[in-house]
Amino acid sequence: MFTSKRMVIAMAATALLAACAAPTLAPAPTKSPNLGRLATAQEIAAADISIPPDGSGLPAGGGDVRQGAAVYAGKCVSCHGEKGVGKPADALAGGIGSLATATPLRTVGSYWPYATTLFDYVRRAMPIQSPKSLTNDEIYAVTAYLLNLNGIVAENAVMNAQSLPQVKMPNRDGFIDYSRR
Amino acid sequence: MTDHHDPVSDAVSAVATADAARERRNFLKRGAAGLAAAAAAATTARAADPIGGDFPEWSTKIGTPLRGYGQPSRFEAPVQRYVQKAFGDLAPGTGGARAPIERLEGVITPNGLHFDRSHNGAPDIDPAKHQLLIHGLVKKPLSFSIADLLRYPMVSRMHFIECSGNSGLNLAPQPPQLPAGVMHGLVSCADWTGIPLALLLDEAGVEPAGKWLLAEGADSAAMSRSIPLGKCYDDAIVALYQNGERLRPEQGYPVRLLLPGWEGNMNVKWLRRLKVTAGPTHTKDETSRYTDPQPDGRARQFTFEMGAKSVILRPSSTMSMQGAGLYEISGIAWSGGGRIARVEISTDSGATWKDAVLQGQAMPKSLVRFRLPWEWNGQATALQSRATDEKGNTQPSRAAFRAEFAPDIRFHNNSIVSWAVNADGSVKNVYL
């Protein structure tokens, strides 16, 4: 009896020690003051600039390779080099077939899995000194130019909300999804 | 260690000074009888003179006036982040400012020294004009002002943030001889306070089809990443405060996302928009950038959790020892998988390992400080540390990590760091 009482105390002490060694986090609050204001369709449309692979949200307009070459010469070449060879900024063309070699060259053409990402990224972040300054037509055009530089679309290709999501990038199947591991 | 700002050399000097003082006291005791009369005379003489002459200047005049916001001592001015601009002045806000981790102690990174990885500078956001929008696959799309968010119930948690490009420099063919912070300083730790993201998502009401969340920043790069909703409901925080004060602009003022233990790039700063989606958006940073290429040409995508990792900071690369004797090995460990369970240290180039002491309570997904006393015999050796978390995740050797990935792998390098201690006292970065 005496022993078992001591054991209980010892066990309680052990439990207490264990609790001290690994403190449990305070539970997160679950009650909201509900201060969110209902967003209007108009403000959502203005804010929503992300373009997923299915192309939903792509704006109206379009542009072709020739127009894109002019946009590239005016806005991009100083950082990305003639024909997208890179320096000082990232190379945008070349490297297709190099990924499994000792000298992989990862560019829009060789590495990026979706063409929609190119439109999305140029529109939100480029050119780096004046992001969000290009028109939708200019972005479609420069996208067409870069895809053509990589031999992914033809010289007469026109990029728009319909054609861009149809483009199959060479490395589309080159990624292994680790999000569930 | 010769760097006069180095805490170890300061400690060594302090010991030397204390020894000299003890010696002087002993000498005085030995001569006490003979000197008694002289001492009495000196005491009398002192009574007449002001004592100021025996004190340094700062003990004899009014100090710095009271001020609204404190600053470090001017003598600590050299303790700075290591700034690396990826494209120089072409894009001065693009690149990283790495925390000088080898010059810091404890686990909290001071706000001004927290590492900063930005893609086009820190925006100067007026909080009165900033909104956080939650939309997409939700019942009620909602917009929150910062004033609204500040009224919400909050949690405070200690968490590290580590850029997944941290330690990428240690993948170079030859070991760079640079301070630890330059190579491994894209990690920092703070006490973050904010709103559980789950609370805001529940207010908007996520539709059953919603499985991912697109988070987007209000900076010039409009940095965006896709996050599985499970993480958002697990421990994600919409953070407003860092170490007690509102976020610094470089850390996302007025509001940022905090995804404890997940790669830094996903902890979107200057948070402006959260869109619930059915699948990932495949943004530039989760396709072309933060993916881990394998030797077979394919690449792992959505490798979110940062691995178990540790680095010895004292001594570390570019420091130098001050002769044989007792030193304290001190460093930091962390894991995106949870709490650090143990840190082992080898002082014999990996032949044998000893457990270091972990300071305080190891919090999940937080830095922990480890220490181990070490009697250096003055002979050449190498120091290594190896962290293991509560789930058993540990650090691979550098060679094993290299073999698992393509030759140009840059991200998620959590391999064991090795410092050679040479007989001349120099401490060098080495690959073992």
Side-chain angles (χ1 to χ4, degrees), chain A residues 20 23 26 30 32 34-37 39 44 47-50 88 90 106 111-112 117 121 124 128 132 174-176 178, chain B residues 87 120 135 141-143 152 157 199 203 216 220 222 272-273 275 282 284 288-289 291 293 298-301 339 361 408:
Chain A
C20 289
T30 52
S32 170
N34 293 311
L35 302 176
R37 172 182 60 76
I44 294 169
D48 187 0
I49 58 168
S50 47
D90 293 16
R106 299 179 200 280
Y111 197 56
W112 292 34
T117 306
Y121 181 66
R124 69 175 59 236
I128 203 157
K132 307 177 185 70
F175 292 88
I176 309 161
Y178 266 61
Chain B
F87 309 112
N120 202 1
H135 72 115
L142 297 175
S143 178
Y152 273 70
R157 303 261 160 87
L199 205 58
E203 189 174 330
E216 181 179 84
S220 281
R272 72 183 282 264
R273 189 164 71 93
K275 182 181 186 181
H282 291 281
K284 185 269 269 179
S288 75
R289 267 287 178 279
T291 45
R298 296 187 304 159
R300 299 175 190 176
Q301 189 183 19
R339 290 178 174 83
Q361 290 171 337
D408 62 338

Short mmCIF file of all heavy atoms in Angstrom, two decimals, chain A residues 20 23 26 30 32 34-37 39 44 47-50 88 90 106 111-112 117 121 124 128 132 174-176 178, chain B residues 87 120 135 141-143 152 157 199 203 216 220 222 272-273 275 282 284 288-289 291 293 298-301 339 361 408:
data_model
loop_
_atom_site.label_atom_id
_atom_site.label_comp_id
_atom_site.label_asym_id
_atom_site.label_seq_id
_atom_site.Cartn_x
_atom_site.Cartn_y
_atom_site.Cartn_z
N CYS A 20 7.07 19.44 -18.12
CA CYS A 20 8.00 20.57 -18.11
C CYS A 20 8.97 20.49 -19.29
O CYS A 20 9.30 21.48 -19.90
CB CYS A 20 8.81 20.60 -16.81
SG CYS A 20 7.78 21.07 -15.41
N PRO A 23 6.80 21.51 -23.12
CA PRO A 23 5.62 22.32 -22.84
C PRO A 23 4.66 22.28 -24.02
O PRO A 23 5.08 22.33 -25.17
CB PRO A 23 6.19 23.73 -22.66
CG PRO A 23 7.49 23.72 -23.39
CD PRO A 23 8.01 22.33 -23.32
N ALA A 26 -0.05 26.83 -26.06
CA ALA A 26 -1.39 27.28 -25.72
C ALA A 26 -2.27 27.09 -26.94
O ALA A 26 -1.84 27.32 -28.07
CB ALA A 26 -1.34 28.75 -25.33
N THR A 30 -10.23 30.45 -31.22
CA THR A 30 -11.11 29.97 -32.30
C THR A 30 -12.30 30.90 -32.53
O THR A 30 -13.06 30.70 -33.46
CB THR A 30 -11.64 28.56 -31.97
OG1 THR A 30 -12.22 28.59 -30.67
CG2 THR A 30 -10.53 27.52 -32.01
N SER A 32 -13.82 34.46 -33.63
CA SER A 32 -13.43 35.63 -34.42
C SER A 32 -14.33 36.81 -34.13
O SER A 32 -15.55 36.64 -33.96
CB SER A 32 -13.52 35.27 -35.91
OG SER A 32 -13.38 36.43 -36.69
N ASN A 34 -15.08 38.75 -36.33
CA ASN A 34 -15.79 38.92 -37.61
C ASN A 34 -15.77 40.36 -38.12
O ASN A 34 -16.82 40.97 -38.34
CB ASN A 34 -17.24 38.41 -37.50
CG ASN A 34 -17.27 36.92 -37.29
OD1 ASN A 34 -16.61 36.17 -38.03
ND2 ASN A 34 -17.99 36.46 -36.28
N LEU A 35 -14.60 40.88 -38.35
CA LEU A 35 -14.47 42.26 -38.81
C LEU A 35 -14.26 42.37 -40.32
O LEU A 35 -14.19 43.46 -40.87
CB LEU A 35 -13.29 42.94 -38.10
CG LEU A 35 -13.38 42.98 -36.56
CD1 LEU A 35 -12.11 43.59 -35.98
CD2 LEU A 35 -14.60 43.76 -36.11
N GLY A 36 -14.13 41.23 -40.99
CA GLY A 36 -13.91 41.25 -42.44
C GLY A 36 -15.07 41.93 -43.15
O GLY A 36 -16.23 41.69 -42.83
N ARG A 37 -14.74 42.77 -44.12
CA ARG A 37 -15.75 43.47 -44.91
C ARG A 37 -15.94 42.69 -46.22
O ARG A 37 -14.97 42.24 -46.82
CB ARG A 37 -15.24 44.90 -45.20
CG ARG A 37 -16.08 45.70 -46.17
CD ARG A 37 -15.47 47.07 -46.43
NE ARG A 37 -14.12 47.02 -47.00
CZ ARG A 37 -13.87 46.73 -48.28
NH1 ARG A 37 -14.84 46.44 -49.12
NH2 ARG A 37 -12.62 46.70 -48.71
N ALA A 39 -15.91 41.77 -49.74
CA ALA A 39 -15.19 42.39 -50.86
C ALA A 39 -16.09 42.43 -52.09
O ALA A 39 -16.86 41.50 -52.33
CB ALA A 39 -13.93 41.59 -51.16
N ILE A 44 -12.07 42.57 -56.26
CA ILE A 44 -11.44 41.26 -56.44
C ILE A 44 -10.83 41.16 -57.83
O ILE A 44 -9.67 40.74 -58.00
CB ILE A 44 -12.45 40.12 -56.20
CG1 ILE A 44 -12.90 40.11 -54.74
CG2 ILE A 44 -11.85 38.77 -56.59
CD1 ILE A 44 -14.08 39.20 -54.46
N ALA A 47 -7.61 43.02 -58.04
CA ALA A 47 -6.50 42.48 -57.24
C ALA A 47 -6.01 41.13 -57.74
O ALA A 47 -4.85 40.77 -57.54
CB ALA A 47 -6.94 42.36 -55.78
N ASP A 48 -6.90 40.37 -58.38
CA ASP A 48 -6.58 38.97 -58.71
C ASP A 48 -5.76 38.89 -59.99
O ASP A 48 -6.30 38.88 -61.10
CB ASP A 48 -7.89 38.17 -58.86
CG ASP A 48 -7.62 36.70 -59.03
OD1 ASP A 48 -6.43 36.29 -59.04
OD2 ASP A 48 -8.59 35.93 -59.17
N ILE A 49 -4.45 38.80 -59.84
CA ILE A 49 -3.56 38.79 -61.01
C ILE A 49 -2.89 37.44 -61.24
O ILE A 49 -2.11 37.29 -62.18
CB ILE A 49 -2.47 39.89 -60.89
CG1 ILE A 49 -1.65 39.70 -59.61
CG2 ILE A 49 -3.11 41.28 -60.93
CD1 ILE A 49 -0.39 40.55 -59.56
N SER A 50 -3.16 36.45 -60.39
CA SER A 50 -2.45 35.17 -60.55
C SER A 50 -3.11 34.31 -61.64
O SER A 50 -4.33 34.24 -61.73
CB SER A 50 -2.42 34.42 -59.23
OG SER A 50 -3.69 34.40 -58.61
N PRO A 88 23.18 40.36 -67.09
CA PRO A 88 23.43 39.86 -65.73
C PRO A 88 22.29 39.02 -65.16
O PRO A 88 22.52 38.24 -64.25
CB PRO A 88 23.58 41.16 -64.93
CG PRO A 88 22.78 42.17 -65.67
CD PRO A 88 22.87 41.79 -67.12
N ASP A 90 18.86 36.26 -65.34
CA ASP A 90 18.72 34.86 -65.76
C ASP A 90 18.66 34.68 -67.28
O ASP A 90 18.06 35.49 -67.98
CB ASP A 90 17.42 34.28 -65.19
CG ASP A 90 17.47 34.15 -63.68
OD1 ASP A 90 18.35 34.78 -63.06
OD2 ASP A 90 16.62 33.44 -63.12
N ARG A 106 19.12 25.80 -66.80
CA ARG A 106 17.68 25.89 -66.49
C ARG A 106 17.14 27.23 -66.94
O ARG A 106 17.46 28.26 -66.35
CB ARG A 106 17.46 25.69 -64.98
CG ARG A 106 17.93 24.32 -64.53
CD ARG A 106 17.79 24.05 -63.06
NE ARG A 106 18.68 22.95 -62.71
CZ ARG A 106 18.40 21.66 -62.91
NH1 ARG A 106 17.23 21.31 -63.41
NH2 ARG A 106 19.29 20.71 -62.61
N TYR A 111 13.24 24.48 -68.46
CA TYR A 111 12.87 24.07 -67.11
C TYR A 111 11.42 24.38 -66.73
O TYR A 111 10.78 23.58 -66.05
CB TYR A 111 13.83 24.73 -66.12
CG TYR A 111 13.84 24.11 -64.74
CD1 TYR A 111 14.10 22.76 -64.56
CD2 TYR A 111 13.59 24.88 -63.61
CE1 TYR A 111 14.11 22.19 -63.29
CE2 TYR A 111 13.62 24.33 -62.33
CZ TYR A 111 13.87 22.98 -62.17
OH TYR A 111 13.90 22.42 -60.92
N TRP A 112 10.91 25.56 -67.14
CA TRP A 112 9.59 25.96 -66.64
C TRP A 112 8.50 25.02 -67.16
O TRP A 112 8.44 24.76 -68.37
CB TRP A 112 9.27 27.40 -67.09
CG TRP A 112 10.11 28.46 -66.46
CD1 TRP A 112 11.42 28.36 -66.10
CD2 TRP A 112 9.71 29.79 -66.13
NE1 TRP A 112 11.85 29.55 -65.55
CE2 TRP A 112 10.82 30.44 -65.55
CE3 TRP A 112 8.51 30.50 -66.26
CZ2 TRP A 112 10.77 31.77 -65.12
CZ3 TRP A 112 8.46 31.83 -65.83
CH2 TRP A 112 9.58 32.45 -65.26
N THR A 117 2.85 30.62 -66.44
CA THR A 117 3.69 31.21 -65.38
C THR A 117 4.50 32.38 -65.94
O THR A 117 4.75 33.37 -65.24
CB THR A 117 4.64 30.14 -64.82
OG1 THR A 117 3.87 29.01 -64.40
CG2 THR A 117 5.43 30.67 -63.63
N TYR A 121 4.29 35.99 -64.35
CA TYR A 121 5.46 36.58 -63.71
C TYR A 121 5.86 37.91 -64.36
O TYR A 121 6.16 38.89 -63.68
CB TYR A 121 6.64 35.60 -63.71
CG TYR A 121 7.85 36.18 -63.03
CD1 TYR A 121 7.82 36.45 -61.66
CD2 TYR A 121 9.01 36.49 -63.75
CE1 TYR A 121 8.92 37.02 -61.02
CE2 TYR A 121 10.10 37.06 -63.11
CZ TYR A 121 10.05 37.32 -61.75
OH TYR A 121 11.13 37.88 -61.13
N ARG A 124 3.43 40.67 -63.24
CA ARG A 124 3.49 41.13 -61.86
C ARG A 124 4.85 41.75 -61.49
O ARG A 124 4.92 42.63 -60.64
CB ARG A 124 3.18 39.99 -60.88
CG ARG A 124 4.24 38.90 -60.80
CD ARG A 124 3.94 37.85 -59.74
NE ARG A 124 2.67 37.19 -59.96
CZ ARG A 124 1.68 37.13 -59.07
NH1 ARG A 124 1.84 37.68 -57.88
NH2 ARG A 124 0.57 36.51 -59.34
N ILE A 128 12.21 44.88 -64.04
CA ILE A 128 12.46 45.02 -62.60
C ILE A 128 12.47 46.47 -62.13
O ILE A 128 12.11 46.76 -61.00
CB ILE A 128 13.74 44.25 -62.19
CG1 ILE A 128 13.68 43.91 -60.71
CG2 ILE A 128 15.00 45.02 -62.58
CD1 ILE A 128 14.53 42.76 -60.28
N LYS A 132 4.86 45.98 -63.47
CA LYS A 132 3.42 46.24 -63.68
C LYS A 132 3.19 47.40 -64.65
O LYS A 132 2.16 48.05 -64.62
CB LYS A 132 2.70 46.48 -62.35
CG LYS A 132 2.92 45.37 -61.31
CD LYS A 132 2.26 45.66 -59.97
CE LYS A 132 2.60 44.60 -58.93
NZ LYS A 132 4.01 44.62 -58.48
N GLY A 174 8.46 17.16 -65.90
CA GLY A 174 9.76 17.00 -65.25
C GLY A 174 9.77 17.20 -63.74
O GLY A 174 10.84 17.21 -63.13
N PHE A 175 8.59 17.35 -63.14
CA PHE A 175 8.54 17.62 -61.70
C PHE A 175 7.84 16.50 -60.93
O PHE A 175 6.88 15.91 -61.42
CB PHE A 175 7.85 18.96 -61.43
CG PHE A 175 8.66 20.13 -61.93
CD1 PHE A 175 8.53 20.59 -63.24
CD2 PHE A 175 9.58 20.77 -61.10
CE1 PHE A 175 9.29 21.66 -63.70
CE2 PHE A 175 10.34 21.84 -61.57
CZ PHE A 175 10.19 22.28 -62.87
N ILE A 176 8.35 16.24 -59.73
CA ILE A 176 7.75 15.24 -58.86
C ILE A 176 7.09 15.99 -57.70
O ILE A 176 7.76 16.77 -57.01
CB ILE A 176 8.83 14.27 -58.31
CG1 ILE A 176 9.68 13.72 -59.46
CG2 ILE A 176 8.20 13.16 -57.51
CD1 ILE A 176 11.02 13.16 -59.00
N TYR A 178 6.00 16.74 -54.28
CA TYR A 178 6.34 16.33 -52.90
C TYR A 178 5.37 16.93 -51.87
O TYR A 178 5.62 16.84 -50.68
CB TYR A 178 7.78 16.78 -52.56
CG TYR A 178 8.82 15.70 -52.81
CD1 TYR A 178 9.01 15.18 -54.08
CD2 TYR A 178 9.60 15.19 -51.77
CE1 TYR A 178 9.95 14.20 -54.32
CE2 TYR A 178 10.55 14.20 -52.01
CZ TYR A 178 10.71 13.71 -53.29
OH TYR A 178 11.65 12.73 -53.52
N PHE B 87 22.17 41.38 -58.46
CA PHE B 87 22.47 42.05 -59.73
C PHE B 87 23.05 43.44 -59.50
O PHE B 87 22.89 44.34 -60.34
CB PHE B 87 21.20 42.12 -60.59
CG PHE B 87 20.53 40.78 -60.75
CD1 PHE B 87 19.30 40.54 -60.17
CD2 PHE B 87 21.15 39.76 -61.44
CE1 PHE B 87 18.68 39.30 -60.29
CE2 PHE B 87 20.55 38.52 -61.57
CZ PHE B 87 19.31 38.28 -60.99
N ASN B 120 12.60 42.44 -54.85
CA ASN B 120 12.75 43.76 -55.48
C ASN B 120 12.59 44.86 -54.42
O ASN B 120 11.85 45.83 -54.62
CB ASN B 120 11.76 43.95 -56.64
CG ASN B 120 12.24 45.02 -57.62
OD1 ASN B 120 13.31 45.60 -57.46
ND2 ASN B 120 11.44 45.29 -58.64
N HIS B 135 -10.14 35.57 -50.89
CA HIS B 135 -11.18 35.32 -51.90
C HIS B 135 -10.92 33.97 -52.56
O HIS B 135 -10.17 33.15 -52.06
CB HIS B 135 -11.20 36.46 -52.92
CG HIS B 135 -10.03 36.48 -53.86
ND1 HIS B 135 -10.15 36.26 -55.20
CD2 HIS B 135 -8.70 36.64 -53.63
CE1 HIS B 135 -8.94 36.32 -55.77
NE2 HIS B 135 -8.06 36.56 -54.84
N PRO B 141 -16.08 36.40 -49.82
CA PRO B 141 -14.78 37.05 -50.00
C PRO B 141 -14.69 38.25 -49.06
O PRO B 141 -15.64 39.04 -48.97
CB PRO B 141 -14.79 37.49 -51.47
CG PRO B 141 -16.23 37.54 -51.86
CD PRO B 141 -16.96 36.56 -51.00
N LEU B 142 -13.58 38.36 -48.34
CA LEU B 142 -13.48 39.39 -47.30
C LEU B 142 -12.23 40.25 -47.48
O LEU B 142 -11.20 39.78 -47.95
CB LEU B 142 -13.42 38.73 -45.92
CG LEU B 142 -14.64 37.92 -45.47
CD1 LEU B 142 -14.35 37.23 -44.14
CD2 LEU B 142 -15.88 38.82 -45.36
N SER B 143 -12.37 41.50 -47.06
CA SER B 143 -11.23 42.41 -47.05
C SER B 143 -11.03 42.90 -45.62
O SER B 143 -12.00 43.24 -44.94
CB SER B 143 -11.52 43.58 -47.99
OG SER B 143 -10.44 44.48 -47.95
N TYR B 152 -7.92 41.40 -33.69
CA TYR B 152 -8.19 39.95 -33.61
C TYR B 152 -7.42 39.30 -32.47
O TYR B 152 -6.35 39.78 -32.06
CB TYR B 152 -7.81 39.28 -34.94
CG TYR B 152 -8.95 39.31 -35.93
CD1 TYR B 152 -9.35 40.51 -36.50
CD2 TYR B 152 -9.65 38.16 -36.24
CE1 TYR B 152 -10.42 40.55 -37.38
CE2 TYR B 152 -10.72 38.19 -37.12
CZ TYR B 152 -11.11 39.39 -37.69
OH TYR B 152 -12.17 39.42 -38.55
N ARG B 157 4.48 33.00 -30.91
CA ARG B 157 5.26 31.76 -31.04
C ARG B 157 6.68 32.08 -31.47
O ARG B 157 6.90 32.94 -32.33
CB ARG B 157 4.62 30.84 -32.10
CG ARG B 157 3.17 30.48 -31.84
CD ARG B 157 3.06 29.11 -31.20
NE ARG B 157 1.77 28.89 -30.52
CZ ARG B 157 0.66 28.44 -31.10
NH1 ARG B 157 0.67 28.13 -32.37
NH2 ARG B 157 -0.43 28.27 -30.40
N LEU B 199 -8.41 31.17 -38.38
CA LEU B 199 -9.49 32.03 -37.91
C LEU B 199 -10.04 32.89 -39.05
O LEU B 199 -11.26 33.04 -39.21
CB LEU B 199 -8.93 32.92 -36.79
CG LEU B 199 -9.88 33.48 -35.75
CD1 LEU B 199 -10.61 32.37 -35.02
CD2 LEU B 199 -9.08 34.31 -34.73
N GLU B 203 -13.66 32.54 -41.16
CA GLU B 203 -14.58 33.68 -41.30
C GLU B 203 -15.06 33.82 -42.75
O GLU B 203 -16.22 34.14 -43.00
CB GLU B 203 -13.88 34.97 -40.83
CG GLU B 203 -14.81 36.16 -40.73
CD GLU B 203 -14.14 37.39 -40.13
OE1 GLU B 203 -13.21 37.24 -39.30
OE2 GLU B 203 -14.52 38.51 -40.51
N GLU B 216 0.07 36.19 -51.77
CA GLU B 216 0.74 37.17 -52.63
C GLU B 216 1.12 38.42 -51.84
O GLU B 216 0.37 38.88 -50.99
CB GLU B 216 -0.22 37.55 -53.75
CG GLU B 216 0.29 38.55 -54.76
CD GLU B 216 -0.78 38.79 -55.81
OE1 GLU B 216 -1.67 39.63 -55.57
OE2 GLU B 216 -0.75 38.11 -56.85
N SER B 220 7.10 45.08 -55.12
CA SER B 220 7.23 45.23 -56.57
C SER B 220 7.31 43.90 -57.28
O SER B 220 6.95 43.80 -58.45
CB SER B 220 8.50 46.03 -56.90
OG SER B 220 8.25 47.38 -56.71
N ALA B 222 5.65 41.33 -56.28
CA ALA B 222 4.37 40.66 -56.01
C ALA B 222 4.60 39.17 -55.78
O ALA B 222 3.91 38.31 -56.35
CB ALA B 222 3.38 40.90 -57.16
N ARG B 272 -0.91 40.76 -49.18
CA ARG B 272 -2.05 41.55 -49.67
C ARG B 272 -3.23 40.69 -50.09
O ARG B 272 -4.35 41.15 -50.14
CB ARG B 272 -1.63 42.43 -50.86
CG ARG B 272 -1.38 41.64 -52.15
CD ARG B 272 -0.90 42.49 -53.29
NE ARG B 272 -1.94 43.26 -53.94
CZ ARG B 272 -2.59 42.88 -55.05
NH1 ARG B 272 -2.34 41.72 -55.62
NH2 ARG B 272 -3.51 43.66 -55.58
N ARG B 273 -2.94 39.41 -50.41
CA ARG B 273 -4.02 38.61 -51.00
C ARG B 273 -3.83 37.13 -50.69
O ARG B 273 -2.70 36.62 -50.76
CB ARG B 273 -4.01 38.82 -52.52
CG ARG B 273 -5.21 38.23 -53.25
CD ARG B 273 -5.30 38.82 -54.65
NE ARG B 273 -4.24 38.31 -55.53
CZ ARG B 273 -4.36 37.24 -56.31
NH1 ARG B 273 -5.50 36.57 -56.35
NH2 ARG B 273 -3.37 36.85 -57.08
N LYS B 275 -5.80 33.67 -51.96
CA LYS B 275 -6.86 33.14 -52.83
C LYS B 275 -6.95 31.63 -52.65
O LYS B 275 -5.98 30.90 -52.88
CB LYS B 275 -6.53 33.46 -54.30
CG LYS B 275 -7.60 32.98 -55.27
CD LYS B 275 -7.22 33.30 -56.72
CE LYS B 275 -8.36 32.96 -57.66
NZ LYS B 275 -8.02 33.24 -59.07
N HIS B 282 1.32 27.22 -59.53
CA HIS B 282 2.59 27.04 -60.24
C HIS B 282 3.23 28.40 -60.55
O HIS B 282 3.52 28.71 -61.70
CB HIS B 282 2.42 26.21 -61.51
CG HIS B 282 2.09 24.77 -61.22
ND1 HIS B 282 3.04 23.85 -60.86
CD2 HIS B 282 0.91 24.11 -61.18
CE1 HIS B 282 2.46 22.67 -60.64
NE2 HIS B 282 1.17 22.81 -60.82
N LYS B 284 6.15 31.44 -60.45
CA LYS B 284 7.56 31.41 -60.85
C LYS B 284 8.44 30.82 -59.75
O LYS B 284 9.32 29.99 -60.02
CB LYS B 284 8.02 32.83 -61.21
CG LYS B 284 9.42 32.92 -61.76
CD LYS B 284 10.47 33.14 -60.68
CE LYS B 284 10.77 34.58 -60.42
NZ LYS B 284 11.78 34.76 -59.35
N SER B 288 10.34 27.57 -61.27
CA SER B 288 11.69 27.81 -61.80
C SER B 288 12.71 27.96 -60.68
O SER B 288 13.90 27.76 -60.91
CB SER B 288 11.69 29.08 -62.65
OG SER B 288 11.64 30.24 -61.85
N ARG B 289 12.29 28.31 -59.47
CA ARG B 289 13.23 28.64 -58.42
C ARG B 289 13.38 27.57 -57.32
O ARG B 289 14.35 26.85 -57.29
CB ARG B 289 12.84 29.96 -57.73
CG ARG B 289 13.50 31.18 -58.33
CD ARG B 289 14.98 31.28 -57.98
NE ARG B 289 15.59 32.45 -58.61
CZ ARG B 289 16.01 32.52 -59.86
NH1 ARG B 289 15.90 31.47 -60.65
NH2 ARG B 289 16.53 33.62 -60.35
N THR B 291 12.77 24.65 -56.43
CA THR B 291 12.57 23.24 -56.71
C THR B 291 13.94 22.57 -56.65
O THR B 291 14.96 23.24 -56.85
CB THR B 291 11.91 23.04 -58.09
OG1 THR B 291 12.58 23.90 -59.04
CG2 THR B 291 10.45 23.42 -58.06
N PRO B 293 16.41 19.90 -58.11
CA PRO B 293 16.68 19.00 -59.23
C PRO B 293 17.49 17.76 -58.82
O PRO B 293 18.41 17.84 -58.03
CB PRO B 293 17.47 19.87 -60.20
CG PRO B 293 18.04 20.98 -59.39
CD PRO B 293 17.11 21.19 -58.24
N ARG B 298 14.88 15.17 -63.49
CA ARG B 298 13.61 15.58 -62.90
C ARG B 298 13.89 16.38 -61.63
O ARG B 298 15.00 16.36 -61.10
CB ARG B 298 12.74 14.36 -62.59
CG ARG B 298 12.35 13.59 -63.86
CD ARG B 298 11.36 12.48 -63.56
NE ARG B 298 11.88 11.56 -62.55
CZ ARG B 298 11.12 10.76 -61.80
NH1 ARG B 298 9.81 10.78 -61.94
NH2 ARG B 298 11.67 9.93 -60.93
N ALA B 299 12.86 17.11 -61.17
CA ALA B 299 13.05 17.94 -59.98
C ALA B 299 11.91 17.74 -59.00
O ALA B 299 10.77 17.50 -59.40
CB ALA B 299 13.15 19.41 -60.38
N ARG B 300 12.26 17.79 -57.73
CA ARG B 300 11.24 17.69 -56.68
C ARG B 300 10.59 19.06 -56.51
O ARG B 300 11.29 20.07 -56.38
CB ARG B 300 11.87 17.25 -55.37
CG ARG B 300 12.53 15.90 -55.50
CD ARG B 300 13.26 15.51 -54.23
NE ARG B 300 14.07 14.32 -54.47
CZ ARG B 300 14.88 13.77 -53.58
NH1 ARG B 300 15.02 14.32 -52.37
NH2 ARG B 300 15.57 12.69 -53.88
N GLN B 301 9.27 19.06 -56.55
CA GLN B 301 8.52 20.32 -56.40
C GLN B 301 7.71 20.27 -55.12
O GLN B 301 7.24 19.20 -54.71
CB GLN B 301 7.60 20.50 -57.61
CG GLN B 301 6.94 21.88 -57.67
CD GLN B 301 5.99 22.02 -58.83
OE1 GLN B 301 5.52 21.02 -59.40
NE2 GLN B 301 5.67 23.24 -59.21
N ARG B 339 10.65 19.83 -32.62
CA ARG B 339 11.66 20.20 -31.63
C ARG B 339 12.99 19.51 -31.94
O ARG B 339 13.00 18.36 -32.39
CB ARG B 339 11.25 19.75 -30.23
CG ARG B 339 10.10 20.51 -29.64
CD ARG B 339 9.76 19.94 -28.27
NE ARG B 339 8.74 20.76 -27.62
CZ ARG B 339 7.43 20.63 -27.85
NH1 ARG B 339 6.99 19.71 -28.70
NH2 ARG B 339 6.57 21.42 -27.23
N GLN B 361 14.32 25.49 -23.08
CA GLN B 361 13.40 24.50 -23.60
C GLN B 361 13.42 24.58 -25.12
O GLN B 361 13.23 25.65 -25.68
CB GLN B 361 12.00 24.77 -23.07
CG GLN B 361 11.90 24.47 -21.59
CD GLN B 361 10.59 24.93 -21.00
OE1 GLN B 361 9.94 25.80 -21.54
NE2 GLN B 361 10.22 24.35 -19.89
N ASP B 408 23.83 21.19 -59.92
CA ASP B 408 23.56 22.61 -59.64
C ASP B 408 22.52 22.80 -58.53
O ASP B 408 21.91 23.86 -58.43
CB ASP B 408 23.13 23.34 -60.92
CG ASP B 408 21.84 22.78 -61.50
OD1 ASP B 408 21.50 21.61 -61.20
OD2 ASP B 408 21.17 23.49 -62.27
#
